[in-house]
Amino acid sequence: MTIRVAMWSGPRNISTAMMRSFESRADTVVADEPLYAHYLAVTGIDHPGREQILASQPTSWPEVAAALTGPLPGDPAVHYQKHMAHHLLPQIGRDWLGKLTHAFLIRDPEHVVASYARVRGEPTLADLGYPQQAEIFRAYGGPVVDAADVLRDPETTLRRLCAGLGFAFDPAMLSWAPGPRDSDGVWAPFWYAAVRASTGFAPYDPSPAVVPARLRPLVEAARPYYEELAEHRL
């Protein structure tokens, strides 16, 4: 049976590099942010490539859920679903989530907020996905990896993650060919330049985050959710 891995991340993380890592496995197919069009349709938010995104994916969450839990061509061993946690809007039903194997990619909120502030000046807690990650973890559990740990030691962290998901680590996960993929969302030209140029995970950068003073309260609001999940990181 296919193991359907729902990897829940927030923005300004290494989520696309992690998708590349899993897609490097011969037994895995990936889905890139399948709830993105629904999120844009419901919220009305104007993201780069909005019209292309709306045209490229179903905007009905039940249709997305059916595709993510239904039959897959070729019956791959692993179906890796890259999800942005904030795309899981409150009105989306949750029952279908019980058919997935959940995992969580977290990052210290100081670094997330500092990075997000450079591309969107006034992010909110809802934009960052921490409450949604905590909600899903409380309901279903699953392995948790911190982006910093992945970058410090990709092989050890990925070995632990694969074990937690119920399948063996594959050394192919540590590197990939540069360039675009057919599996990339249509938003890739706006966001994926660094990943498309990469051949593996970037080196860990120990530099401290620089958070604008006005966004310090946002960091503090996100921190309890981050720490709740970080207690369980591999």
Side-chain angles (χ1 to χ4, degrees):
M1 291 181 60
T2 299
I3 299 175
R4 302 171 189 270
V5 177
M7 175 62 85
W8 299 97
S9 175
R12 316 311 296 173
N13 207 334
I14 59 167
S15 58
T16 309
M18 188 70 81
M19 180 176 70
R20 283 285 191 274
S21 174
F22 272 84
E23 195 174 15
S24 298
R25 300 173 59 99
D27 63 355
T28 299
V29 296
V30 303
D32 191 5
E33 301 185 29
L35 287 166
Y36 196 178
H38 173 76
Y39 172 79
L40 293 181
V42 170
T43 63
I45 292 175
D46 185 16
H47 279 193
R50 173 183 164 86
E51 294 307 317
Q52 298 99 303
I53 296 166
L54 292 171
S56 72
Q57 294 179 327
T59 57
S60 160
W61 74 258
E63 188 176 347
V64 175
L68 295 177
T69 58
L72 293 167
D75 294 321
V78 180
H79 185 211
Y80 182 89
Q81 304 169 12
K82 172 196 168 190
H83 288 286
M84 292 292 101
H86 62 283
H87 290 173
L88 192 70
L89 296 169
Q91 71 272 20
I92 294 176
R94 299 316 202 235
D95 289 348
W96 62 281
L97 297 178
K99 300 177 182 179
L100 307 176
T101 298
H102 299 276
F104 304 86
L105 177 63
I106 61 173
R107 188 185 185 196
D108 188 293
E110 290 207 359
H111 289 278
V112 171
V113 171
S115 179
Y116 205 108
R118 292 194 291 270
V119 297
R120 181 179 175 193
E122 299 300 330
T124 68
L125 186 61
D127 293 327
L128 305 183
Y130 290 102
Q132 297 92 330
Q133 284 183 310
E135 175 201 344
I136 300 163
F137 181 80
R138 292 166 189 166
Y140 301 102
V144 179
V145 291
D146 195 303
D149 295 329
V150 176
L151 298 180
R152 286 190 190 100
D153 189 346
E155 181 170 347
T156 297
T157 307
L158 289 172
R159 282 185 180 277
R160 292 171 178 168
L161 174 59
C162 290
L165 293 169
F167 49 83
F169 168 76
D170 184 339
M173 298 175 72
L174 297 175
S175 62
W176 49 84
R181 302 286 180 89
D182 291 342
S183 54
D184 290 346
V186 297
W187 53 89
F190 301 102
W191 301 107
Y192 289 3
V195 169
R196 286 181 165 185
S198 71
T199 57
F201 290 102
Y204 174 67
D205 181 358
S207 303
V210 179
V211 178
R214 72 181 189 283
L215 294 178
R216 293 301 315 179
L218 179 58
V219 172
E220 297 312 311
R223 185 161 298 286
Y225 298 105
Y226 167 76
E227 291 181 348
E228 178 181 345
L229 270 70
E231 288 181 4
H232 302 275
R233 70 185 186 275
L234 299 176

